[in-house]
Amino acid sequence: MAAIAASTFYGKKKNGYECYSSTRCLFNSTELQDIEFIRSYYYNKIEHVRFSSDVGRFVGYTEFGVKNAEMWNNNPGQLAAMRAQKETYCQHNIDLWYANVLSKSVKPSVRLHSTMAPGCHHPAMLVCSVYDFYPKQIKVSWLRNGQETTSDITSTEKFANGDWLYQVHSHLEYMPRSGEKISCMVEHASLDEPLIINWVPPMPETERLIIVGAIGLILGLILFVAGVIYRRKSGDTSLAHRFGEKQAEDWNKDPAALSLWRPQKEMFFKPDSELCFTNVLPKSVMPLARLHSMTPPGGRHPALALCRVYDFFPNQSKTRTDAGSQ
């Protein structure tokens, strides 16, 4: 059964609310016969009078409430207004809830993990944690070798996230048995079929070390094979060199090939040489010079004079140092 609730406060004092009312709609569907409208009135946090659409009148629970109920039940207009709330208030809001909230669903995410059991009575405890699902109704069960089990389940707790979503955690104490298959099964309105998560025990430390060693061995073999391939490719260089020598020997025996290559000196290199002599070699770039002192290594002389000349062309240059005597 779902519910819609609203509260109205009339005033409050230091130690509690002086007077307030609460309105609720309890329903299983949008049909009027499945809806109950309830209006409760409180004084200092104590409900003293209530109207229920299933009863059709006010009922008092305290001396003050009984007097108020008697007075209100003698008012046909007030009774008619309260009886109409089931249709005008509840059914209207319930239609909105079914259209925008209750007809929606959010699939859960499931995590199956182990933890230590309280008091260490068992080697371990499995926890099936189901997160972020809607609506609230959900079934979490445990399977041993495909058969549902109800023993050793210590607790199943539901929590509201505060954002319309819920979470639930189910705990199963277990004693590991060889070949046993343990699963967590989740059934929810958002799922077309039950979601089953199988428990996979963590790998023992010895097996983990064996796998790490095997991976290291495989990587070593890969590096060894890569080195062999590299060496073979490097050996191919000498083979190519011998092939080049053989081909040069064959071409030198061919007069036609020699006659084709010998004129290249004049046809190809001479024009480029003339361009170089015209545009490059006659040009020159004035050098930049810097003279400074530096302390020689070992301290055998007071100082050294260093003359540095930068950025000049052509490379023919002459540097002369004139030193005066004291």
Side-chain angles (χ1 to χ4, degrees):
M1 177 175 288
I4 300 175
S7 298
T8 302
F9 302 98
Y10 300 105
K12 58 183 177 179
K13 59 181 181 178
K14 182 177 180 181
N15 296 324
Y17 292 103
E18 190 172 349
C19 187
Y20 68 95
S21 64
S22 174
T23 301
R24 290 170 289 167
C25 297
L26 307 181
F27 57 94
N28 291 317
S29 71
T30 58
E31 300 297 327
L32 278 177
Q33 63 269 19
D34 295 328
I35 301 174
E36 180 183 9
F37 170 79
I38 299 175
R39 172 74 60 80
S40 298
Y41 296 86
Y42 297 83
Y43 181 76
N44 283 350
K45 301 183 180 180
I46 298 175
E47 184 180 16
H48 61 89
V49 65
R50 174 190 295 186
F51 175 87
S52 170
S53 61
D54 286 357
V55 178
R57 57 198 299 274
F58 289 94
V59 177
Y61 299 104
T62 66
E63 182 180 355
F64 176 68
V66 170
K67 292 181 179 180
N68 278 277
E70 183 180 354
M71 177 180 62
W72 293 339
N73 286 330
N74 290 327
N75 186 338
Q78 188 168 2
L79 277 180
M82 295 298 291
R83 290 167 180 168
Q85 294 296 305
K86 176 177 177 178
E87 182 175 359
T88 59
Y89 176 77
C90 287
Q91 193 173 39
H92 168 72
N93 285 286
I94 290 170
D95 287 338
L96 294 177
W97 269 56
Y98 270 102
N100 299 287
V101 179
L102 297 178
S103 60
K104 310 298 181 183
S105 63
V106 179
K107 291 184 178 181
S109 59
V110 183
R111 178 179 175 234
L112 183 58
H113 58 100
S114 64
T115 184
M116 293 302 297
C120 297
H121 299 301
H122 294 264
M125 174 181 288
L126 292 181
V127 182
C128 186
S129 298
V130 187
Y131 299 97
D132 300 333
F133 57 89
Y134 184 87
K136 181 180 181 180
Q137 292 73 22
I138 195 169
K139 181 181 179 182
V140 180
S141 53
W142 292 93
L143 306 177
R144 288 182 182 267
N145 296 324
Q147 300 298 320
E148 184 174 351
T149 180
T150 56
S151 60
D152 299 327
I153 300 176
T154 58
S155 63
T156 300
E157 306 162 344
K158 288 184 181 180
F159 303 96
N161 292 350
D163 56 357
W164 294 95
L165 302 179
Y166 297 87
Q167 58 179 286
V168 62
H169 305 272
S170 182
H171 302 75
L172 173 72
E173 292 182 353
Y174 80 107
M175 183 75 71
R177 300 185 182 92
S178 178
E180 184 179 42
K181 181 180 179 181
I182 300 179
S183 309
C184 173
M185 183 171 66
V186 178
E187 298 174 85
H188 189 252
S190 63
L191 302 172
D192 296 331
E193 57 185 20
L195 177 62
I196 299 177
I197 305 297
N198 297 321
W199 167 242
V200 179
M203 186 178 300
E205 185 67 22
T206 54
E207 294 184 14
R208 189 182 300 113
L209 293 175
I210 291 173
I211 291 177
V212 171
I215 293 174
L217 179 60
I218 293 172
L219 290 176
L221 289 174
I222 292 174
L223 293 175
F224 174 75
V225 173
V228 171
I229 294 174
Y230 176 77
R231 290 290 298 274
R232 288 184 177 179
K233 288 187 175 181
S234 299
D236 291 344
T237 304
S238 59
L239 180 63
H241 181 69
R242 290 195 299 272
F243 175 76
E245 290 181 344
K246 181 66 171 59
Q247 192 155 20
E249 183 180 351
D250 293 340
W251 286 346
N252 286 332
K253 293 179 181 179
D254 186 354
L258 289 175
S259 63
L260 178 65
W261 282 99
R262 282 168 179 165
Q264 295 298 316
K265 176 180 178 180
E266 183 176 356
M267 296 172 58
F268 179 76
F269 292 103
K270 186 176 180 180
D272 287 346
S273 299
E274 290 176 350
L275 291 173
C276 185
F277 272 99
T278 303
N279 300 291
V280 179
L281 295 179
K283 309 299 180 182
S284 62
V285 179
M286 183 179 294
L288 300 175
R290 180 184 175 206
L291 182 62
H292 61 96
S293 64
M294 63 177 292
T295 303
R300 290 174 297 197
H301 296 274
L304 287 178
L306 182 63
C307 182
R308 294 186 176 181
V309 184
Y310 304 92
D311 302 335
F312 59 89
F313 184 85
N315 63 350
Q316 293 79 14
S317 65
K318 181 179 180 181
T319 303
R320 185 178 68 184
T321 304
D322 293 330
S325 58
Q326 295 183 352

